[in-house]
Amino acid sequence: MAGKLGILAGAGELPLRLIEACRAQGRPYFVLAFEGSCDPASLVGQPHEFTRFGASGSGLKILRKNGVDELVMAGGVRRPSLIALRPDWRTTRFFLKIGMRALTDFGDDRLFRAIIAELELEGFRIVGVDSILSSLVAPQGLLGRVAPDMAAESDIRAGIDAARGHGAEDLGQAVVMRGGVAVDHEDAEGTDAMLRRCAVSGKAQGGVLVKMAKPQQERRADLPAIGTQTVAGVAAAGLKGVAIEAGACLVLDRDAVIVAADRAGIFVIGVSAS
């Protein structure tokens, strides 16, 4: 039987989905939530405590005090500046090992790999969200009634290469394509922010959002994901639809995503990285 699961919770729906899965399975769990990222109201009635990103020493003590065996990382966490980090001794030791510049110079994947390695040294087993919520993993093919036209198919093909090239540099997982050209790239602010930029500029009208796992993706952290908010952003930017990597991207509340996409007249499709 699986041991007690510790949910390292950031922003978004994923931590709540993991809680629901644990409750459905009768599995014990505990939530260690990050201040400034996870919404306190979402954890009312749940076994949890809050911690700062820079207070890893106390965070580890909290996890051990609550008998956690496995850890899963879920939800977005905004990186603090070096000044705002206010590292305790355990966090300082970690950054001395990998270099203090890692907070600003490392891409997400490199930093997550270093954090996971450190947690494993502390004796925790790290698992991926997809190992617990396999039903969220995107399938191959259309998820709704709307299909891409020939121009969109061409943008998808070009976008797969563009997104994976962007990801190989550990810069982001998504691009917006129009006419075979990447008109915007995801950065540290995320996919929603990129879509808002496109909506304001109007430069992506008739284009496509393509979101892929990085070629070197650490699957136990930061898998690409979309939800109804993504669909709304795609529609607001005037895009024809969104292509995601089948088997490597999470679709939060798939039924709601399909309904929202069909209603907006945009497509959602799972594609192969090849």
Side-chain angles (χ1 to χ4, degrees):
M1 183 177 177
K4 191 170 190 177
L5 181 68
I7 301 170
L8 302 181
E13 301 176 36
L14 270 180
L16 298 181
R17 297 303 170 84
L18 288 164
I19 290 171
E20 291 169 0
C22 287
R23 291 169 67 90
Q25 298 165 12
R27 180 176 184 178
Y29 64 93
F30 176 80
V31 182
L32 184 62
F34 290 102
E35 294 175 0
S37 295
C38 187
D39 179 9
S42 69
L43 297 179
V44 173
Q46 304 298 336
H48 75 280
E49 288 192 39
F50 274 85
T51 189
R52 291 189 300 106
F53 187 80
S56 59
S58 60
L60 290 168
K61 288 179 182 178
I62 291 169
L63 292 171
R64 292 197 174 98
K65 179 184 72 176
N66 285 277
V68 167
D69 300 302
E70 290 187 344
L71 290 174
V72 61
M73 304 167 77
V77 178
R78 183 175 292 275
R79 293 194 200 189
S81 66
L82 288 172
I83 295 174
L85 181 64
R86 292 183 291 126
D88 62 10
W89 169 240
R90 183 65 186 80
T91 306
T92 300
R93 195 172 74 184
F94 168 69
F95 279 108
L96 286 173
K97 180 192 294 187
I98 67 172
M100 287 300 295
R101 293 179 62 186
L103 191 63
T104 54
D105 290 359
F106 276 21
D108 287 343
D109 196 71
R110 287 183 66 194
L111 185 57
F112 278 130
R113 285 180 184 274
I115 291 171
I116 286 173
E118 200 70 11
L119 290 171
E120 288 176 330
L121 286 175
E122 292 288 343
F124 296 103
R125 179 169 176 259
I126 317 301
V127 298
V129 171
D130 57 332
S131 69
I132 300 170
L133 296 172
S134 58
S135 62
L136 297 187
V137 178
Q140 186 90 17
L142 285 174
L143 271 68
R145 294 195 303 267
V146 182
D149 58 21
M150 290 180 64
E153 288 179 354
S154 179
D155 276 340
I156 290 170
R157 287 192 294 271
I160 291 170
D161 290 338
R164 287 178 62 79
H166 189 56
E169 297 181 22
D170 206 3
L171 298 173
Q173 298 166 323
V175 295
V176 173
M177 304 295 296
R178 183 173 181 268
V181 176
V183 296
D184 209 336
H185 297 75
E186 182 186 47
D187 56 20
E189 294 187 345
T191 303
D192 290 339
M194 177 178 64
L195 292 172
R196 286 194 294 271
R197 290 196 300 269
C198 290
V200 170
S201 69
K203 63 185 177 182
Q205 285 278 343
V208 171
L209 170 66
V210 181
K211 192 160 188 173
M212 309 290 290
K214 299 170 183 176
Q216 74 282 8
Q217 184 81 44
E218 168 54 78
R219 289 188 66 100
R220 293 173 294 175
D222 196 34
L223 276 181
I226 66 166
T228 53
Q229 188 170 336
T230 314
V231 172
V234 166
L239 306 183
K240 293 179 179 178
V242 52
I244 51 179
E245 183 174 352
C249 185
L250 304 177
V251 182
L252 308 180
D253 199 345
R254 187 182 305 181
D255 290 343
V257 165
I258 292 171
V259 169
D262 285 347
R263 186 174 296 151
I266 64 176
F267 65 82
V268 179
I269 188 170
V271 297
S272 168
S274 60

